[in-house]
Every structure is written in structure tokens, then in C-alpha cells.
């Protein structure tokens, strides 16, 4: 098994580090355009092997895609991160060009790879990668929903003062501050609806905090977060390479599901060795359906900005 992560910034390096520690592949390639950065970070990671007890070999590469040849899964994190006050959508022009070139180069050497897109605005970048590459839709996955759902569970756990491990919930829709849809109605605490423990006002606050979860961290840190995004991406990779069949909200191509066509948006999917294997159709309320439609309109607007 071989995995490539493109982009050796905070998110990419953290993703690679998580993958290496979980021993999800024999070899993990970390590629970046900046001279020496991926090589240095890969060596630093490998020096923890004797301390942490893993056998995965990290390999750094400065823009040499030939080193990625034969990858089973490729992760695209490259692009500009957010700064305080920026929306994910403001990154669209610059990151689109980067994602297009990276996808082309990766698939040149690994034509059968499953592609995971992390770069923002994530739904549009996923759609761009799919349209430009022409690969089967089930091999193209946007990460955002996994991260948004983790933040949703965290805010629920904090509000209830319980372990996040006992919280089950998901966020669907676009991966944006105004487009994501935390499904408070369906969230549970070990099978018990969270509405038994939290008031409507508390649930509304949890949803609002979830939607600006990334922006909150960007304001505090001064740039985009990386620990949770790296862990969320690793979780997708793990479910794929270990064929775990986990149900995870991901941005995938919709062709009639949830009333949408020719768009990539976050919906629950089963992740296995072939990529996303099937979409889980949730029974949404009328309000949730309306929110999903509004989210789709916003995502389509961003796609249109790139003439997609």
C-alpha cells in the first residue's frame, strides 16, 4: 500500500503524520513545491519511528511526482490557507489552478488512485478535480463533512459535558460557514436523542458554533486549523485502505440523490476499498431539505465562478 499527500503545510504534514502513526501504508510520500520542506518533515517524522513503534516509511519530494508513482490513495491539501476574516470561498481562484495541476500530475503516475480533496473551497475543488480528471466518481472524495461532523460532536459533547466518543451526529451540505447543515434532530448520545438533554436554544447555539468552527480557529490561531483536519483526512484514508465500510459525510458527486444533480456536496457515504461505495439517503425534514437546497445554490454559485 502506498499513499501520497500533496502539500507539506500544517494540514498536509499532520495528515501524513497521522497516516504514518496508524501504519496505513508501507510508504507515504509527502510532496511540496517548496524546496526541502517535505524532505525535512518526512525525515523528522521517520525519526519518531523508533520512539512510537511504526514501520511505515515517509518519503519527501520537492515537486517530483514520479516519486508518487503507484499510489493507491492520494490526498490533495495544497493551496493557500485561510487568514483571519477570510472565507473559504475567497480562496477559489488561486486554489483552483493549484488543484487542477496537482490532480493532473498525480493521476499521470497513479491513474487508479482514489483521490481525497482537502483544499478549499472544498466542494468546488472536488467538483473541479472530478471534471478535469474524468476518473470514476466513486474515486473522488471531498473531506469537509468528516471534519465538520467532528466539530459538531465536539460542541455537543461540551454542551452536555460528556465524552465526544458517545456522541453520534453528522453535518451535511456544503463545507462553508453558511452552507453546512448540522443535523441536530438526528444527533444522539449513545442512541438517545440529544434533544432530551439540550434545549432548542442550546441546540441552535451548537449548530451555529459548528458552522463557524473553522473561522473561530482561524481567528484564534491566525491561520487555518490543522490537527482536526489532519485527523479527519486520516480517518477517510483508514476506512478506505482497511475497507472498514464506515459511514462518513463526504463531498461526492450527486446525480439525483437529495434532489441534486451535477454537483459535489456533503452527504453520508459508505467508505471502502473502492472509494465511496454508496450514498446513504437520510429522511430529511422539510426544513432540512430547504436548507440543503439553499446550500446547493451557494455551491453552484461558486462552481459558476470557475465556469464549471
Amino acid at each position: 500500500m502506498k499513499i501520497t499527500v500533496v502539500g507539506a503545510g500544517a494540514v498536509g504534514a499532520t495528515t501524513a503524520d497521522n497516516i504514518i502513526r496508524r501504519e496505513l501504508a508501507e510508504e507515504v510520500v509527502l510532496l511540496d513545491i517548496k524546496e526541502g520542506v517535505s524532505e525535512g518533515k518526512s525525515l523528522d517524522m521517520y525519526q519518531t519511528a523508533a520512539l512510537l513503534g511504526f514501520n511505515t516509511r515517509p518519503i519527501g519530494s520537492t515537486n517530483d511526482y514520479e516519486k508518487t508513482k503507484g499510489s493507491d490513495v492520494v490526498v490533495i491539501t495544497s493551496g493557500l490557507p485561510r487568514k483571519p476574516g477570510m472565507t473559504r470561498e475567497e480562496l477559489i481562484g488561486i486554489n483552483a489552478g493549484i488543484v487542477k495541476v496537482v490532480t493532473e500530475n498525480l493521476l499521470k503516475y497513479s491513474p487508479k488512485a482514489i483521490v481525497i480533496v482537502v483544499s478549499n473551497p472544498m466542494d468546488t475543488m472536488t467538483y473541479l478535480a472530478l471534471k478535469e480528471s474524468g476518473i470514476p466518481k466513486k474515486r473522488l472524495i471531498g473531506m469537509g463533512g468528516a471534519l465538520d461532523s467532528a466539530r459538531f460532536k465536539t460542541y455537543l459533547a461540551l454542551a452536555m459535558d460528556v465524552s465526544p466518543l458517545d456522541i453520534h451526529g453528522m453535518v451535511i451540505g456544503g463545507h462553508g460557514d453558511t452552507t453546512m447543515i448540522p443535523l441536530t434532530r438526528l444527533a444522539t448520545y449513545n442512541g438517545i436523542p440529544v434533544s432530551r438533554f439540550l434545549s432548542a436554544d442550546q441546540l441552535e447555539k451548537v449548530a451555529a458554533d459548528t458552522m463557524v468552527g473553522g473561522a473561530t480557529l482561524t481567528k484564534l490561531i491566525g491561520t487555518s486549523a490543522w490537527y482536526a483536519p489532519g485527523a479527519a483526512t486520516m480517518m477517510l484514508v483508514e476506512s478506505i485502505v482497511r475497507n472498514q465500510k464506515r459511514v462518513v459525510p463526504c463531498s461526492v458527486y450527486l446525480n439525483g440523490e437529495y434532489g441534486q444533480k451535477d454537483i459535489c456536496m456533503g452527504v453520508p457515504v459508505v467508505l471502502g476499498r473502492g472509494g465511496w461505495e454508496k450514498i446513504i439517503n437520510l429522511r430529511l425534514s422539510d426544513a432540512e431539505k430547504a436548507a440543503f437546497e439553499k446550500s446547493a445554490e451557494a455551491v453552484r454559485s461558486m462552481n459558476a465562478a470557475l465556469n464549471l
Side-chain angles (χ1 to χ4, degrees):
M1 184 66 62
K2 182 175 181 177
I3 297 168
T4 289
V5 178
V6 179
V11 174
T14 304
T15 297
D17 190 42
N18 277 304
I19 290 170
I20 289 164
R21 291 182 186 219
R22 300 281 282 201
E23 294 188 293
L24 300 184
E26 288 77 30
E27 186 176 295
V28 174
V29 177
L30 181 62
L31 184 145
D32 198 273
I33 196 170
K34 191 172 181 180
E35 185 72 37
V37 172
S38 57
E39 289 88 346
K41 291 190 177 184
S42 294
L43 180 58
D44 191 17
M45 291 176 200
Y46 200 36
Q47 288 171 356
T48 69
L51 303 169
L52 300 175
F54 61 79
N55 286 306
T56 296
R57 175 72 185 273
I59 296 174
S61 171
T62 300
N63 221 32
D64 180 3
Y65 282 86
E66 192 167 357
K67 289 185 178 179
T68 72
K69 187 176 181 179
S71 294
D72 298 282
V73 180
V74 297
V75 178
I76 302 173
T77 73
S78 40
L80 294 181
R82 280 205 289 178
K83 294 180 180 178
M86 288 182 71
T87 64
R88 295 179 178 91
E89 292 75 18
E90 289 177 87
L91 302 171
I92 190 169
I94 296 173
N95 286 357
I98 295 171
V99 169
K100 183 177 178 179
V101 171
V102 168
T103 303
E104 180 181 332
N105 286 327
L106 285 170
L107 293 174
K108 177 182 177 181
Y109 291 100
S110 304
K112 296 182 179 180
I114 294 167
V115 181
I116 297 175
V117 177
V118 180
S119 307
N120 280 316
M122 191 270 309
D123 300 289
T124 296
M125 294 301 102
T126 302
Y127 185 73
L128 171 68
L130 181 66
K131 290 298 182 179
E132 291 293 332
S133 68
I135 66 172
K137 63 182 181 180
K138 292 189 175 183
R139 285 170 41 203
L140 208 300
I141 301 163
M143 179 278 290
L147 171 61
D148 298 333
S149 296
R151 288 173 172 161
F152 181 39
K153 294 174 193 177
T154 299
Y155 282 118
L156 283 170
L158 289 171
M160 296 171 62
D161 193 25
V162 300
S163 169
L165 297 176
D166 289 333
I167 298 292
H168 301 274
M170 65 177 71
V171 176
I172 61 172
H175 179 58
D177 298 350
T178 60
T179 58
M180 67 179 75
I181 307 163
L183 295 175
T184 54
R185 181 179 63 88
L186 301 179
T188 63
Y189 173 48
N190 261 355
I192 307 168
V194 295
S195 56
R196 292 263 201 99
F197 307 94
L198 298 174
S199 66
D201 286 345
Q202 287 175 307
L203 286 173
E204 187 175 336
K205 184 178 186 305
V206 165
D209 288 344
T210 300
M211 293 175 73
V212 296
T216 299
L217 292 169
T218 300
K219 184 177 180 181
L220 290 169
I221 301 169
T223 188
S224 296
W226 58 90
Y227 292 119
T233 308
M234 179 278 295
M235 182 186 71
L236 301 191
V237 173
E238 183 173 40
S239 186
I240 291 166
V241 303
R242 291 185 172 162
N243 202 30
Q244 291 178 332
K245 313 285 188 182
R246 296 193 65 178
V247 176
V248 184
C250 297
S251 185
V252 299
Y253 185 78
L254 301 180
N255 187 31
E257 299 90 352
Y258 289 85
Q260 304 300 325
K261 283 190 174 183
D262 194 30
I263 191 172
C264 289
M265 287 182 67
V267 295
V269 297
V270 176
L271 291 177
R273 190 62 193 86
W276 65 268
E277 298 185 350
K278 64 179 178 179
I279 293 172
I280 304 297
N281 288 304
L282 300 173
R283 294 181 180 177
L284 300 180
S285 67
D286 289 342
E288 290 160 350
K289 288 178 182 177
F292 198 88
E293 177 62 37
K294 184 178 179 181
S295 179
E297 290 174 4
V299 173
R300 282 201 174 86
S301 177
M302 283 187 285
N303 292 351
L306 292 177
N307 297 316
L308 293 173

